[in-house]
């Protein structure tokens, strides 16, 4: 049953695909959820539309010029939403006492500090920003334990695992043999290595199953997205890297599985619609309507599975390597990948050079441990600088 008063939601990254799906679910349950704050980077026009529709108390633009534009748009629309600006304002709305639930959907490293702010404040945190956990690992999970934060994963794969595990799984880790992370294989599953040398950003962003933003679409095409999910799964579920196996499943119907020592394999199935894990996380431990269509097993008819090809997708083994190495290496991997993907999308780097840039950055010496958030951010900044050097060496070859 809905609470007596609506739960107040802060949505970090409101103008992306996760933001759109979240607001679609929220709009289906007006008595249950109310929007407290919406945030974006530069998309002032889109955020203005959302403010006029959902009337949040606060809207945050991290870009100063975009914040001014948003203020003008809301004033013209007679909207009472207060506009804040800058990165620290993200942290303010994430930890605000009035916020009950925080959807962490800012793409990349930019989401780390506001997500940690929400965790430290003991919010119910819906984690769509996998990079925050990849970068800070144990630091992040220690903050979750200290604050008593309720952390629910939003990635379809991790939410599927979350649904397939018992509530006390951390008390019985020996019962889990493997976590099976499914992957569609992206748009280049059957593309020849020669053809991969000439693929364009438009081709890389044409995902065969999911509708996603450009950065995550490229990550899916290189399978770095799955590599980041391997690291995320290690921290979310407390398993060793050797217990996490990636399974190519092109239909995207089984979203992930848990293999138990008694021979049972539990899976979560559903249509490829992000509203399903979002609704599950918003209402957990209850269930609410997501707006997604029912799965027709007779139409699906058959399911395919295959092992990933590490030579075709070299980003995936890089993720396993940094997970074993530990320390700041996952943060270095993430930073180098973000710079390489941005260069590819800008036409400054070839698709097949993305993995080369990441590997070369990881090979540099002097990467520290990550005892503090400052150490994570320092490793991130250095990795970006070195990755940019590697990008300049390789150009758009």
């Amino acid at each position: 049953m809905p609470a007596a008063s609506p739960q107040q939601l802060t949505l970090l990254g409101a103008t992306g695909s996760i933001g759109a799906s979240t607001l679609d679910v929220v709009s289906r349950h007006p008595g249950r959820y109310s929007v407290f704050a919406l945030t974006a980077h530069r998309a002032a026009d889109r955020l203005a539309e959302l403010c006029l529709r959902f009337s949040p108390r606060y809207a945050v633009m991290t870009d100063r010029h975009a914040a001014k534009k948003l203020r003008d748009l809301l004033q013209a629309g007679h909207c009472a939403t207060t506009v804040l600006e800058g990165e620290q304002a993200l942290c303010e709305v994430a930890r605000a006492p009035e916020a009950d639930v925080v959807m962490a959907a800012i793409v990349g490293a930019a989401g780390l500090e506001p997500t940690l702010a929400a965790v430290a404040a003991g919010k119910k945190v819906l984690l769509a920003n996998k990079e925050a956990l990849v970068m800070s690992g144990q630091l992040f999970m220690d903050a979750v334990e200290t604050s008593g934060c309720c952390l629910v994963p939003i990635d379809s794969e991790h939410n599927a695992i979350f649904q397939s595990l018992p509530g006390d799984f951390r008390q019985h880790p020996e019962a889990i043999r493997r976590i099976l992370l499914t992957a569609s294989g992206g748009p280049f599953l059957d593309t020849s290595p020669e053809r991969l040398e000439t693929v364009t950003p438009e081709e890389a962003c044409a995902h065969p199953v999911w509708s996603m933003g450009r950065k995550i679409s490229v990550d899916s095409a290189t399978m770095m997205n799955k590599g980041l999910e391997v690291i995320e799964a290690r921290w979310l579920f407390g398993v060793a890297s050797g217990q996490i196996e990636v399974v190519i499943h092109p239909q995207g119907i089984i979203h992930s599985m848990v293999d138990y020592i008694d021979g049972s394999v539990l899976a979560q199935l559903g249509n490829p619609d992000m509203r399903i894990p979002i609704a599950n996380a918003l209402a957990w431990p209850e269930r609410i309507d997501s707006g997604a269509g029912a799965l027709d097993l007779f139409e699906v008819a058959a399911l395919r599975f295959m092992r990933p090809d590490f030579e075709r997708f070299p980003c995936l083994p890089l993720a396993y390597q940094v997970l074993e190495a530990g320390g700041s290496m996952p943060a270095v991997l993430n930073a180098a990948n973000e710079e390489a993907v941005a260069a590819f999308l800008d036409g400054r780097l070839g698709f097949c050079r993305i993995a080369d840039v990441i590997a070369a950055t990881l090979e540099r010496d002097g990467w520290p441990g990550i005892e503090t958030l400052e150490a994570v951010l320092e490793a991130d900044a250095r990795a970006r600088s070195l990755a940019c050097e590697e990008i300049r060496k390789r150009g758009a070859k």
Side-chain angles (χ1 to χ4, degrees), residues 91 163 298 396:
C91 297
Q163 293 192 52
F298 299 104

Side-chain angles (χ1 to χ4, degrees), residues 131 134-136 224 228 231 318 322 326-340 357-370 375-376 378-387:
E131 293 88 351
V134 167
M135 291 174 67
S136 56
M224 177 56 86
L228 297 176
I231 300 171
L318 287 175
V322 302
S328 60
M329 297 305 280
V332 174
L333 173 93
N334 179 72
N337 178 64
E338 287 190 16
E339 294 297 329
V357 167
I358 298 166
T361 305
L362 290 169
E363 288 169 3
R364 303 293 282 266
D365 294 328
W367 298 115
I370 52 167
V376 176
E378 286 174 11
D380 176 83
R382 179 173 178 242
R384 290 177 189 279
S385 177
L386 294 175

Side-chain angles (χ1 to χ4, degrees), residues 130-154:
K130 67 175 68 65
E131 293 88 351
L133 187 49
V134 167
M135 291 174 67
S136 56
Q138 189 67 59
L139 192 71
F140 189 104
M141 295 309 296
D142 286 347
V144 170
E145 184 173 356
T146 299
S147 69
C149 158
C150 174
L151 183 68
V152 187
I154 293 297

